[in-house]
Amino acid sequence: MFAVVYLGALASLFVSAFWEVDAFTAAVIHTWSLDNFRRLWDDHTYWRITGRTIGLASAVTLTDAVLAFPLAYFIARLASGRTRATLFVLVLLPLWSSYLVRIYAWRTILAKNGALNWVLNGLGLPDAGLAYTNTAMWIVFSYVWLPFMILPVYAALERIPENYLEASQDLGAKRWRTLRSVILPLALPGLVAGSIFTFSLTLGDFITPALVGGAGSSFIGNIVEEQVGLPNVPFAAAFATVPVIVMAVYLVIARRLGAFEAV
Amino acid sequence: MTDTRGTRIGLGVAAALVIAFLWLPLLLIMVYAFNSSTIQTWPISGFTLHWFHEAWHDREVRSSLWLSLRVGLLATTVALVIGTAAAAAIYRFRFFGREAVSLLLLLPIALPGIITGMALNSFFTFGGVQFSTWTIVAGHATFCVVIVYNNVLARLRRSSPSLIEASMDLGADGWQTFRWVIWPVLSTALVAGGLLAFALSFDEVIVTTFTAGAQTTLPIYILDHIQRGQDLPVVNAIVFVVILVTVIPVTIAQRLTGDTGVLRRGASPTKV
C-alpha cells in the first residue's frame, strides 16, 4: 500500500513534467507537450544553474575524498582499541546530528562578526569576506557530507589484508608505490561509494544555497522549490529530471567501479 | 607494519585536524546558546541561561516542538511495523518481485529528498489530501522505513536460521519461538533502528517543507527564523538542545548494534 502510494507519486510527478500550467488560473492542464523541457533548454540561466550544481557537487566530492582518506586510513589501520572506537563515534555523531544545525553553525562562523574573521583579525589578517559566496557553499557542503565519505572509505581500507602490504614491500615497492598500486585501487570502491552520497546529496540540496549562498548561487533545488511554490509543478518536475538522470548515470558508472560491493 | 614513524605522525596530525574540522563548528554553535547579547558576534559577550527559559516559554517553539515529537513518534512507529515486516519478508520468502521490492526500499535514500518531497506534494495536491500531521508522517516514513529495514535485515542475516528450526524441533509453537528466539535476536536492532529513525525524522527539513503545508515543525521553525534573522538567541538555545537530542539516541544505537547505520544506506542490500 505504502509502496504503491510512493511509486504512484513518483510516477505521476514525472508524467506531470510533460503537462502545463494555465497562466491565469494556475491549474494544471493535461496536454502533452515538451514545452517545459524546451524552456529549460533555451534559457541560459538554467544551463548556468545546472552547471553550478554539478560543478559544486564534483568539487565537494573531490574535497571530501581528500579529507576523508587520511582520517579513514588512521582509524582503519593505525589506531587501535579505545582510540579507534572513540574516533569512530566522533565521525558518526556529526553525521547524525542535525544537518540544518551544522549549516547554521557555518553561517555564524563565516558571518562578518563570526569566528573566522575573529581568528584572521587576531593574526593581523583582513576579513575573509566568505559569507554568501560560492566558496562558502563549497566549504559547507564539504563539511556536512564529509562523514558520508569517511565511513565507506574506512570500511574499504579496513578490509585490506596486512600481508598485501607486506608482500608489496617484500617485492621492493617504496611506500608511495604501495599506496598507489595496492592501497588506492583497493580503496577505490569505498571512495566511489562515498562519492555517491556526497554527489547526490549536494545535487539535490537547496537549504545550503539558501542559507550560506549569495544572490547568484541558486541550485537546481532552489528553482524546483520556487516553482513548486508558484505553483508550477510541471516545470519543477521537468527540471528535477536533470539531477535524477545525472544520478542514474553516476550510479551505473559507480556499479562498474565496484562501489556496491564495497559497503 | 609498513608505515614508518614519520608517516604515522603525519597521518595522526591529519586525522586530528579532520576531527577538529568536524567538531569545532558544532561546539562553537553550542557556545552561542549562552550568549548574553542578542547580537551574534564571536566571541560571545557574556554568559546567560536566559534564552533557554525564553525558548521553553515561547508558544510557537512549544507547538513546533510538540508537532516534531508527534511526527517523530508516529513515523518511527510506522517505520518499525513496515520496515520489520519488509525485512522479514525479504529474508524469509522468495516471491515474485522480491528483487523489485528490495530495490524500491532503497529509493527514498538514493533519490534526493527534494524529489521525494515534490512527488508527495503533488500527489497530495492532486489527490485533494489536506496537509496535516499525517502528510508529514507519510513523508518521513519513507526514509525511516529504510533505516529500520536495513537494521533488521542486517541482524537477520547475521543470525542463523537454524536457531528457528532448532526451536521448532524442540517443540516450541510459533509464539514461543517468536518470544524466546526471534525477539531476543531482533530487539536491539529494532531499538537501534527506531532511535535512528526518530533522530532522522526529528531533524528533517527538505521533505518536510513539501509535506507540511502551513504547519511548523521544529526544524522548519529554525530554518524560518535563521532566514529572517529573527529571535536568533532563542534559535541558538533550541539548536543546543537539538544537538543533544540527536547525539543521545545515536550513541545508544551505536552501542546496541556496533553498526554505523549508514554504511548500508546507499549500498545494495539486494545481494543475498
Side-chain angles (χ1 to χ4, degrees), chain A residues 147-184:
Chain A
F148 286 94
M149 182 64 93
I150 297 174
L151 292 174
V153 176
Y154 159 82
L157 286 174
E158 199 210 8
R159 231 174 292 165
I160 303 176
E162 188 67 40
N163 51 20
Y164 280 31
L165 306 185
E166 282 159 12
S168 165
Q169 207 176 27
D170 290 348
L171 293 167
K174 294 276 188 303
R175 265 180 299 138
W176 282 112
R177 179 66 203 239
T178 306
L179 179 69
R180 202 162 47 89
S181 310
V182 181
I183 301 176
L184 276 183

Side-chain angles (χ1 to χ4, degrees), chain A residues 3 6-7 71 73-74 88 90 92 96 98 100-101 104 107 109 113 118 143 151 169 175 197 221 224 228 263, chain B residues 2-3 7 11-12 21-23 28 40 42-43 104 108 114 116 118 203 219 226 236 250 254 260 262-263 267:
Chain A
Y6 183 69
L7 274 189
L71 178 60
Y73 191 88
F74 188 84
F88 199 72
L90 285 178
L92 209 57
W96 285 99
S98 170
L100 180 62
V101 165
Y104 174 52
R107 188 171 148 115
I109 291 173
N113 294 319
W118 178 74
Y143 173 75
L151 292 174
Q169 207 176 27
R175 265 180 299 138
F197 289 117
V224 168
V228 171
V263 270
Chain B
T2 54
D3 297 293
T7 325
L11 277 167
F21 175 63
L22 281 175
W23 278 90
L28 207 97
Q40 305 260 89
W42 185 263
L104 171 76
I114 191 168
T116 304
M118 245 174 84
D203 278 344
I226 296 174
N236 292 338
V250 172
Q254 157 74 13
T260 60
V262 77
L263 283 180

Side-chain angles (χ1 to χ4, degrees), chain A residues 36-194:
Chain A
N36 290 321
F37 292 99
R38 205 168 291 128
R39 184 174 150 204
L40 279 173
W41 187 266
D42 289 341
D43 194 330
H44 289 292
T45 317
Y46 298 121
W47 281 99
R48 242 197 348 265
I49 291 168
T50 307
R52 178 185 305 132
T53 309
I54 296 176
L56 217 67
S58 318
V60 166
T61 300
L62 281 178
T63 313
D64 278 344
V66 171
L67 289 178
F69 195 83
L71 178 60
Y73 191 88
F74 188 84
I75 304 178
R77 309 205 63 90
L78 298 179
S80 53
R82 280 183 79 96
T83 327
R84 183 185 215 166
T86 313
L87 285 173
F88 199 72
V89 172
L90 285 178
V91 173
L92 209 57
L93 284 179
L95 180 137
W96 285 99
S97 71
S98 170
Y99 125 103
L100 180 62
V101 165
R102 289 184 294 149
I103 300 172
Y104 174 52
W106 274 99
R107 188 171 148 115
T108 55
I109 291 173
L110 299 175
K112 190 151 179 15
N113 294 319
L116 179 66
N117 285 341
W118 178 74
V119 171
L120 289 176
N121 294 341
L123 295 170
L125 297 166
D127 283 359
L130 285 178
Y132 314 116
T133 59
N134 285 348
T135 317
M137 290 204 288
W138 170 65
I139 296 173
V140 174
F141 274 129
S142 303
Y143 173 75
V144 285
W145 310 138
L146 180 58
F148 286 94
M149 182 64 93
I150 297 174
L151 292 174
V153 176
Y154 159 82
L157 286 174
E158 199 210 8
R159 231 174 292 165
I160 303 176
E162 188 67 40
N163 51 20
Y164 280 31
L165 306 185
E166 282 159 12
S168 165
Q169 207 176 27
D170 290 348
L171 293 167
K174 294 276 188 303
R175 265 180 299 138
W176 282 112
R177 179 66 203 239
T178 306
L179 179 69
R180 202 162 47 89
S181 310
V182 181
I183 301 176
L184 276 183
L186 289 171
L188 187 70
L191 283 165
V192 176

